[in-house]
Amino acid sequence: MPEENQQLKERKTLDEREQMSELERLRHSCAHVMATAILRLWPDAQFAYGPPVENGFYYDVELDHRISPEDFEAIEAEMKKEIKANNVFEKLVVTRDQAIADAKSGRLGGLSERPDNESKFKLDLLDQIPEGEPISYYRNGDFVDLCAGPHVMRTGNIKAFKLTSVASAYYKGDENNPQLQRIYGTAFKNKTELEAYFTMLEEAKKRDHRKLGAEMGLYTIDAEYTGPGMPLWLPKGTAIVEELEKLAKETEFAAGYVRVRTPHLAKEKMYRTSGHLPYYADSMFPPMTLDELAAKRSELVEKKRHLWEHCWASGAVEALKLTSAHLEALNPSQELQLLERRINTPEVEVSSEQMGCLQELRDVARELFQMPLAESYYLKAMNCPHHHRIFAAEPRSYRDLPLRLAEYGCCYRYEQSGELFGLMRVRSLNMNDAHIYCTEEQFAEEFRAVNDMYLKYFRIFGLEKYVMRFSTHSKEGLGKKYVDEPELWLKTEDMVRRVLQESGINYVEVANEAAFYGPKIDVQVWSAIGREFTIATNQVDFAVPAKFGLQYKDRDNSFKTPLCIHRAPLGTHERFIGFLIEHYAGNFPLWLAPEQVRVLTIGEDEALIAYAKGILNELRGHQVRAEADFSHDPIKAKVAEAEKARVHTMLAIGPRDMENGNVSVRLHGKGHQGAKPKGEVVSDIVAAIRERRA
């Protein structure tokens, strides 16, 4: 579900609305100004939602006129008039009856009453407001809208805005509801910030991971054969994947993690126990039903049919006075009870042959009745339940904790086709996953160590701006959206909060966005051009280990349930590499570059080629991803081709270089670096890769 529709599905509380940032209030207000402008141009417009979202705002509208980007200039002109008027955003608290009357008259969500055009979406939204909660409008000039706010003081506070796009969206994100037009825009505090934002967007287009991924030959998505959202990693992309996996394995080994491997499938019981079913059923692939006893069942059914025919013909079941219609109407349990009653009725005499037939029929019916039904298997949507079963595989003591189980597990999520987006939203994903089982006393140190690991990765990838988004529960969601353990929620949230504060971590706290089993942290980072991404998560789980009966024996010989920390500092290969492509604009540092070095020859002399091959082989002997271009092309053409392919380091070798034991070094995007001794160059390349220099 897209972020916007998720916001609609889970209505924000009044407290959450009051926590809106200054920029969100500005954008929310701009949405109302946009609605005002649209109504001045098309008075029959019917409005649904108009929230602030990441990087802007939108308003959903039902309108016969199809709004297009060509209409934006006219809408923006009307918006400027409303801003110039500097109207107050006035809050009005009304009764439910008054609100319903205003919606039916068309006044709500309009500039005036519209008797033939009642505000149907506003009537529906009124139904969602709980009894006893205040109902409020916000009015700016002639426009009145059902809204809990908050807003800026006046329309004149809106200094810089722009409409950006128009799309279609179902009301409440439900395809059974009317399809509306969604008009997007953005707003900033001033024109400088607005212009910087659009400059960033232009740069982001150039860095689009889908465009660069195709140009560089990193991955492909074969929707026809493999399926949408299922990336196929090409050799160059696989090199990046393996470098990231190597980084994670080295880092985790040093931090005391042990590696495990788990299957791609699990029985339905696994996810029922964990609680992922039914919570996440919509985002899991449909189950596969495997009936391993089908052949045996078919054989018994046929045998039972023959026995019934024999008993019928011999008169063994005559006393039951059954017709074939009666027999077909019996369920297996009734059939078995009927046969048991017939066999245990002594007043009705039967021959030994008839009794033998009845007993055999009864035994076959019983075997069929007791035979288990076909089992359902699900593609693995998350690794944690599998890791819980690994924890449970052996007796555990407090001496074994903390136990840190790590895996690059392949998971599958059934994202809706309209939500798939390159590497950022996929259906198959390889996750840098791990689960830490620990005592309450160990929690703070373990959680802090996970955060330190994030900070280490930020330094390696040159990520200077980040924020940890700390998500907590809401009382209203207990037993519905969240595990109903109010005391544990407060306790674990306080534990996380203390670690963040004591560590000096840059974080913000957000209510009502936790995982269903505990508080979590989403890691937000900003790329080199200032674009925000969510790349990883760190979650506390105080509920699911108990569901699986996970225990360890404590010092006093009592059994206790461990806490579990879910963490994935590098997120998934797919999303993280998509981020890195855009962060580096495809110009990866040497250690991460798909092709690290290309050896280029100047001339065709055999001795020169042999010298170049020697350097190539030496580099490859050190596991450097080095290639060569010994073609007849001029050196300028070879350099141009290597630059186009974003090869990090080019080693040009001519007769003079060979005579002096040198190579001429050229770096992608930085030009010629001069001639240097080949041994020095090779050593520096190997060291730069080993140290993962930026």
Side-chain angles (χ1 to χ4, degrees):
M1 174 178 294
E3 179 184 351
E4 294 92 340
N5 287 341
Q6 183 69 23
Q7 290 176 345
L8 305 186
K9 185 178 179 182
E10 295 166 3
R11 185 175 175 274
K12 287 185 179 296
T13 66
L14 295 180
D15 287 342
E16 288 169 338
R17 287 178 174 274
E18 284 303 321
Q19 292 173 10
M20 272 191 190
S21 68
E22 183 181 348
L23 188 56
E24 286 174 324
R25 292 173 185 236
L26 180 71
R27 289 169 173 171
H28 187 195
S29 304
C30 201
H32 281 232
V33 170
M34 180 179 73
T36 306
I38 289 173
L39 283 164
R40 287 175 181 167
L41 296 169
W42 300 283
D44 291 337
Q46 285 277 2
F47 291 95
Y49 293 101
V53 292
E54 183 182 6
N55 296 324
F57 61 87
Y58 70 81
Y59 221 128
D60 286 345
V61 58
E62 185 177 70
L63 182 63
D64 288 339
H65 172 76
R66 191 68 196 173
I67 294 177
S68 72
E70 285 71 33
D71 295 311
F72 287 175
E73 185 177 349
I75 298 172
E76 288 175 348
E78 290 295 334
M79 291 175 70
K80 289 175 182 176
K81 292 178 184 177
E82 176 64 16
I83 290 169
K84 187 176 182 180
N86 200 22
N87 287 314
V88 174
F89 278 101
E90 181 183 4
K91 183 176 182 178
L92 307 170
V93 178
V94 299
T95 64
R96 187 175 294 271
D97 288 342
Q98 179 65 53
I100 291 172
D102 288 341
K104 288 183 175 180
S105 73
R107 180 69 183 98
L108 205 48
L111 300 178
S112 61
E113 289 189 0
R114 299 176 290 178
D116 298 326
N117 195 13
E118 74 172 16
S119 305
K120 57 184 178 181
F121 300 115
K122 303 302 176 182
L123 284 169
D124 184 61
L125 295 177
L126 282 167
D127 286 340
Q128 296 178 36
I129 299 176
E131 288 292 337
E133 182 176 307
I135 295 174
S136 62
Y137 301 165
Y138 268 86
R139 178 169 63 197
N140 57 283
D142 294 330
F143 181 60
V144 176
D145 200 8
L146 177 68
C147 182
H151 288 280
V152 296
M153 290 295 294
R154 294 176 171 273
T155 59
N157 293 135
I158 300 169
K159 304 297 183 183
F161 73 91
K162 186 175 180 61
L163 302 188
T164 55
S165 63
V166 60
S168 295
Y170 291 108
Y171 179 54
K172 295 183 178 178
D174 186 342
E175 61 184 11
N176 296 312
N177 287 335
Q179 190 175 60
L180 309 178
Q181 299 181 66
R182 178 168 290 179
I183 319 301
Y184 285 97
T186 192
F188 286 87
K189 296 176 184 177
N190 53 58
K191 289 184 178 179
T192 301
E193 290 185 7
L194 182 70
E195 290 170 0
Y197 172 72
F198 281 100
T199 299
M200 182 271 288
L201 287 186
E202 286 302 312
E203 182 62 25
K205 288 180 183 178
K206 299 174 187 176
R207 294 170 177 247
D208 189 322
H209 76 277
R210 296 167 298 174
K211 172 178 172 288
L212 292 179
E215 288 177 5
M216 297 177 67
L218 302 181
Y219 73 96
T220 185
I221 294 179
D222 185 347
E224 182 179 3
Y225 286 90
T226 309
M230 305 278 193
L232 296 172
W233 290 102
L234 303 178
K236 290 184 177 180
T238 302
I240 301 174
V241 168
E242 292 185 343
E243 284 290 351
L244 291 178
E245 191 162 345
K246 181 181 177 184
L247 169 63
K249 286 180 176 178
E250 289 177 2
T251 303
E252 289 163 0
F253 181 82
Y257 288 74
V258 291
R259 303 205 71 78
V260 296
R261 294 175 71 88
T262 59
H264 293 240
L265 298 171
K267 290 182 177 180
E268 180 176 339
K269 181 179 180 180
M270 175 85 89
Y271 302 116
R272 291 283 176 195
T273 303
S274 70
H276 288 100
L277 286 175
Y279 277 100
Y280 296 118
D282 289 345
S283 61
M284 294 175 70
F285 274 85
M288 294 172 282
T289 302
L290 303 181
D291 192 351
E292 298 171 354
L293 299 174
K296 177 68 174 175
R297 186 181 289 106
S298 179
E299 178 185 326
L300 288 173
V301 167
E302 185 65 15
K303 184 176 182 180
K304 188 180 75 166
R305 186 180 65 80
H306 284 300
L307 286 168
W308 265 109
E309 290 176 354
H310 185 68
C311 288
W312 206 291
S314 69
V317 293
E318 186 176 339
L320 297 176
K321 296 181 180 180
L322 282 173
T323 66
S324 57
H326 290 149
L327 184 60
E328 289 178 5
L330 294 175
N331 64 42
S333 176
Q334 291 170 331
E335 179 185 32
L336 187 58
Q337 291 174 6
L338 196 68
L339 289 170
E340 291 282 10
R341 189 167 67 246
R342 176 65 189 87
I343 290 170
N344 296 315
T345 307
E347 60 270 18
V348 180
E349 293 186 5
V350 292
S351 67
S352 59
E353 181 185 351
Q354 288 175 322
M355 180 58 74
C357 183
L358 280 169
Q359 290 174 339
E360 187 177 2
L361 175 58
R362 185 264 322 268
D363 292 344
V364 171
R366 180 184 292 158
E367 187 174 355
L368 272 169
F369 178 69
Q370 294 176 343
M371 186 173 287
L373 297 175
E375 292 188 298
S376 292
Y377 286 75
Y378 280 82
L379 282 171
K380 179 171 63 173
M382 59 291 296
N383 297 306
C384 40
H386 295 251
H387 290 188
H388 295 334
R389 297 307 300 157
I390 289 176
F391 183 96
E394 299 175 359
R396 305 291 180 183
S397 159
Y398 70 92
R399 295 185 181 90
D400 301 320
L401 303 184
L403 178 63
R404 309 177 187 97
L405 302 180
E407 177 183 21
Y408 254 106
C410 186
C411 297
Y412 303 87
R413 308 273 173 85
Y414 189 71
E415 303 287 0
Q416 297 299 312
S417 58
E419 298 169 13
L420 298 175
F421 181 72
L423 294 176
M424 297 299 184
R425 202 75 177 261
V426 294
R427 288 177 173 170
S428 69
L429 43 143
N430 293 273
M431 191 177 299
N432 169 224
D433 217 353
H435 296 88
I436 303 170
Y437 301 88
C438 63
T439 67
E440 285 189 22
E441 294 74 21
Q442 295 166 336
F443 173 81
E445 183 178 347
E446 292 301 312
F447 204 79
R448 185 179 296 108
V450 170
N451 288 335
D452 288 345
M453 190 178 290
Y454 283 107
L455 298 179
K456 173 184 176 179
Y457 289 147
F458 294 165
R459 289 191 293 270
I460 289 174
F461 296 105
L463 304 178
E464 297 177 356
K465 184 180 178 182
Y466 75 91
V467 66
M468 303 285 192
R469 186 180 172 89
F470 172 34
S471 299
T472 59
H473 79 300
S474 69
K475 291 181 180 178
E476 296 79 10
L478 290 172
K480 303 169 188 173
K481 183 179 176 183
Y482 305 116
V483 172
D484 194 7
E485 296 282 357
E487 292 182 6
L488 283 174
W489 275 106
L490 294 175
K491 184 176 183 178
T492 52
E493 286 172 356
D494 186 56
M495 291 164 72
V496 172
R497 192 179 293 110
R498 281 204 309 271
V499 172
L500 291 171
Q501 291 171 349
E502 291 170 4
S503 302
I505 295 286
N506 182 27
Y507 81 96
V508 294
E509 190 165 327
V510 184
N512 198 27
E513 290 189 13
F516 77 89
Y517 45 61
K520 69 170 183 172
I521 287 174
D522 290 313
V523 183
Q524 310 293 121
V525 298
W526 279 259
S527 70
I529 60 169
R531 191 174 176 203
E532 184 181 0
F533 291 80
T534 302
I535 60 166
T537 186
N538 189 8
Q539 303 174 355
V540 183
D541 184 352
F542 57 75
V544 180
K547 291 184 178 182
F548 281 96
L550 304 190
Q551 292 184 324
Y552 66 92
K553 185 178 283 190
D554 209 350
R555 288 179 175 83
D556 59 1
N557 288 325
S558 65
F559 286 95
K560 294 182 179 177
T561 301
L563 280 174
C564 179
I565 299 173
H566 303 238
R567 43 108 292 179
L570 295 178
T572 68
H573 286 323
E574 290 73 19
R575 176 179 284 272
F576 197 69
I577 291 175
F579 163 74
L580 289 178
I581 292 171
E582 300 193 14
H583 178 57
Y584 292 123
N587 304 317
F588 293 97
L590 180 61
W591 71 274
L592 201 51
E595 187 178 344
Q596 294 169 321
V597 179
R598 187 176 295 184
V599 179
L600 313 173
T601 51
I602 306 171
E604 304 171 29
D605 182 78
E606 288 186 12
L608 179 68
I609 299 296
Y611 177 74
K613 283 183 178 179
I615 295 172
L616 176 67
N617 292 336
E618 184 177 357
L619 288 166
R620 293 184 68 84
H622 288 290
Q623 300 294 303
V624 177
R625 291 186 293 277
E627 303 294 338
D629 185 349
F630 298 155
S631 68
H632 303 317
D633 295 337
I635 188 62
K636 284 188 178 180
K638 293 180 180 182
V639 168
E641 187 63 29
E643 288 279 1
K644 182 180 177 183
R646 291 180 169 79
V647 177
H648 184 278
T649 300
M650 291 148 268
L651 303 181
I653 302 170
R656 185 178 300 174
D657 296 305
M658 181 178 65
E659 290 173 9
N660 297 324
N662 290 341
V663 294
S664 293
V665 180
R666 184 183 182 91
L667 300 181
H668 172 62
K670 296 181 180 178
H672 186 59
Q673 305 295 302
K676 301 177 183 180
K678 70 167 186 175
E680 178 186 317
V681 170
V682 171
S683 294
D684 188 59
I685 287 172
V686 172
I689 293 170
R690 182 179 63 251
E691 296 165 12
R692 297 189 174 95
R693 295 178 195 164

